Amino acid sequence: VQEAASGREPGSGEEEGSRQPCREEICQILGEIQAPLSPLLLRLCHWLLPKLLTRLFLSVQLHRGQLEMVLRAARTPEVPLVFLCSQQSAVDGPLLSFVLLSQGIGLPRVALGARASPGLRSLLQRLGGIFLPSGMAQPWGDRDEGLPGAVLDAYVQEVLRSRQPLVLFLEELPGSLRLADPARRWLLRLLRALRDGAVPDVLLVPVGIAYDVAP
């Protein structure tokens, strides 16, 4: 982050007064990515979600044998879990968070794109959602992500170091086999964390969610 900040304005890191605006910008970017979790909202959501699911579906089924494998993997010391999922509906994120938390794996950080209303964004952040900062809304062809990309890299590395489960949705472009820009940006964070040695390894868990009728 310091390199990205000093690279934009050479010599700007020499004086305290010139560093202050940069700190404020970094805090603003971090606030766009995440917010403190709300225990009250989490309890309310995980009380309401089963009631919602029973109204939407006849049942929710988990593969018990595969879940046992994930529980064993979660006990691997110093290695975080990263769940890769192809998104089928807007219910996927809350459903997967509920399953992981109820099974004792922990509340995951669910990576989302940048497109959400301010109110919905704030709500999802307090339930564990993390977003791409607004400064990364440019097309993928522009590879210079600047300070927002550096802050996002540092944040994802801290999530992995703390062994919080991370959920990445591998969204594809309509009518194409290519990943959408948000999914590619999140995967790039994961690859950089491994390349830079932020964590020795990660356990990738492919997740399949299927609905008889998508909600």
Side-chain angles (χ1 to χ4, degrees):
V1 173
Q2 289 175 341
E3 290 175 0
S6 61
R8 290 189 317 171
E9 299 179 9
S12 63
E14 296 299 326
E15 299 178 0
E16 181 66 27
S18 62
R19 286 200 299 264
Q20 187 63 28
C22 188
R23 284 185 186 143
E24 293 176 356
E25 184 180 357
I26 290 170
C27 290
Q28 180 182 354
I29 294 170
L30 188 59
E32 292 179 348
I33 297 172
Q34 60 96 50
L37 297 175
S38 170
L40 178 61
L41 277 176
L42 286 168
R43 285 196 294 269
L44 180 62
C45 180
H46 286 88
W47 176 75
L48 285 174
L49 191 59
K51 300 180 183 300
L52 173 65
L53 293 175
T54 55
R55 290 184 176 274
L56 288 176
F57 312 114
L58 293 176
S59 64
V60 177
Q61 300 177 4
L62 300 176
H63 192 292
R64 178 58 58 181
Q66 294 178 357
L67 184 58
E68 290 295 334
M69 293 174 61
V70 174
L71 290 172
R72 287 199 302 270
R75 293 191 287 269
T76 304
E78 306 300 326
V79 179
L81 290 175
V82 178
F83 296 86
L84 303 178
C85 182
S86 58
Q87 192 163 19
Q88 303 296 323
S89 80
V91 181
D92 292 358
L95 176 60
L96 192 52
S97 295
F98 172 73
V99 169
L100 296 179
L101 187 58
S102 65
Q103 296 300 316
I105 295 175
L107 181 72
R109 288 292 186 169
V110 181
L112 304 165
R115 296 179 182 176
S117 65
L120 179 60
R121 187 182 186 119
S122 177
L123 174 63
L124 293 177
Q125 283 179 328
R126 296 191 177 277
L127 293 173
I130 54 177
F131 288 82
L132 293 174
S134 58
M136 297 178 65
Q138 69 270 23
W140 175 259
D142 185 359
R143 297 300 298 274
D144 182 12
E145 297 171 334
L147 189 58
V151 175
L152 186 62
D153 280 333
Y155 176 77
V156 171
Q157 290 182 14
E158 288 302 317
V159 169
L160 295 174
R161 284 194 193 100
S162 62
R163 297 189 70 241
Q164 296 181 66
L166 180 63
V167 176
L168 303 181
F169 286 107
L170 304 182
E171 301 175 78
E172 295 181 348
L173 294 170
S176 171
L177 295 179
R178 292 177 58 246
L179 290 176
D181 282 357
R184 298 169 74 185
R185 292 187 188 278
W186 285 116
L187 282 176
L188 180 61
R189 264 68 249 179
L190 183 61
L191 293 173
R192 283 179 177 169
L194 287 169
R195 181 199 65 190
D196 296 342
V199 288
D201 200 359
V202 296
L203 290 173
L204 299 179
V205 183
V207 178
I209 300 178
Y211 302 95
D212 291 335
V213 178

